[in-house]
Amino acid sequence: MAARRKLIAGNWKMNGLKADGLDLASDLAGRLTGAGTVAFDMLVCPPFPLLFPVGDAISGSPLALGAQDCHAKTSGAHTGDVSPAMLTDAGCRYVILGHSERRADHAESDAQVSAKAAAAHKAGLIAIICVGETEAQRDAGQANSVVASQLKGSIPEGATAANTVIAYEPVWAIGTGKTATPDDVKAMHAHIRAELAGKTADPGAVRVLYGGSVKPGNAAELMAVENVDGALVGGAALKADDFWAIATSCR
């Protein structure tokens, strides 16, 4: 099996105005273009209002565009929502789905995430499906069962390595400064890899990202862990130098 190419994805969350977003995206696109051959793919996921301007700014560069969510329907009376077709129209190739902040703040269920992922696939998008346990669940010894249940409920039929990425983000490590140890990450990513059997057509080829307070100082160690195929980065993705340092830690 060919080695899985690492993916470094930046989730800007609800941050950035137009000028900030254009500066950041243009900077990253320029670095990536100038670097030539690299060991990773790079992705930025701005808030919805920035998708078109950022997409225009990075057009023609190797930097990919993604969104932070989508609706399961293609159109209709869904005020405030955005369809997968609208995302592809904006130039998106990826969409983040089931992030813990969506699951917590909007009570999104595994079934809803699965429906969104299926709709994203139908529109030609690559779905980055997020899973992860809370600190209380980990302390109770439930981390593996929680993540297994999320994978089972969130991955739709027809998922493949070409249209699906899994992102493991322990909820207790998102934006807290806490980071899972390399041993913790290795164990969970091995568990996820095993759980993907029967849920995707080619489980060994699906990329599994780690997310949760990834920074330039810990990126190289985390990216070297077995079955870690890249990172879903939050706060550090808002600084070009930090995000680039994380990406170039990939070997």
Side-chain angles (χ1 to χ4, degrees):
M1 180 187 299
R4 296 180 298 270
R5 183 173 171 84
K6 286 190 165 45
L7 172 64
I8 306 300
N11 178 11
W12 295 4
K13 305 189 180 184
M14 197 174 71
N15 294 294
L17 301 181
K18 184 178 178 180
D20 305 317
L22 290 177
D23 285 347
L24 176 56
S26 297
D27 186 332
L28 293 170
R31 296 188 197 210
L32 193 56
T33 300
T37 302
V38 294
F40 55 87
D41 296 326
M42 181 176 272
L43 165 68
V44 292
C45 298
F48 288 138
L50 300 187
L51 288 177
F52 272 103
V54 167
D56 287 342
I58 66 176
S59 178
S61 81
L63 182 61
L65 183 69
Q68 299 175 21
D69 186 41
C70 71
H71 198 277
K73 300 291 186 181
T74 57
S75 63
H78 303 287
T79 302
D81 285 312
V82 176
S83 75
M86 293 173 178
L87 300 183
T88 58
D89 192 45
C92 292
R93 291 178 50 207
Y94 294 81
V95 59
I96 298 170
L97 298 171
H99 191 280
S100 64
E101 291 159 1
R102 297 288 311 177
R103 292 177 185 264
D105 295 348
H106 299 274
E108 288 189 2
S109 67
D110 292 338
Q112 288 173 310
V113 174
S114 178
K116 290 181 177 187
H121 292 164
K122 188 175 180 179
L125 293 166
I126 299 170
I128 300 177
I129 299 175
C130 300
V131 296
E133 80 284 359
T134 65
E135 190 166 22
Q137 289 166 333
R138 172 164 282 272
D139 289 346
Q142 300 170 344
N144 282 5
S145 61
V146 166
V147 169
S149 177
Q150 289 175 335
L151 289 168
K152 181 179 180 180
S154 301
I155 298 175
E157 290 187 14
T160 69
N163 65 19
T164 302
V165 173
I166 303 299
Y168 168 60
E169 291 199 308
V171 178
W172 48 270
I174 299 173
T176 64
K178 298 180 180 179
T179 309
T181 68
D183 285 344
D184 289 337
V185 176
K186 181 178 180 179
M188 182 56 79
H189 278 237
H191 174 62
I192 289 171
R193 181 73 56 200
E195 287 294 321
L196 288 174
K199 297 180 179 66
T200 66
D202 40 9
V206 175
R207 292 191 281 192
V208 181
L209 313 183
Y210 173 75
S213 297
V214 179
K215 303 179 286 287
N218 61 26
E221 183 177 36
L222 290 167
M223 294 305 100
V225 173
E226 185 179 1
N227 283 311
V228 172
D229 305 315
L232 181 56
V233 185
L238 299 173
K239 298 179 181 179
D241 287 344
D242 287 355
F243 194 50
W244 185 251
I246 290 168
T248 54
S249 73
C250 297
R251 295 289 183 267

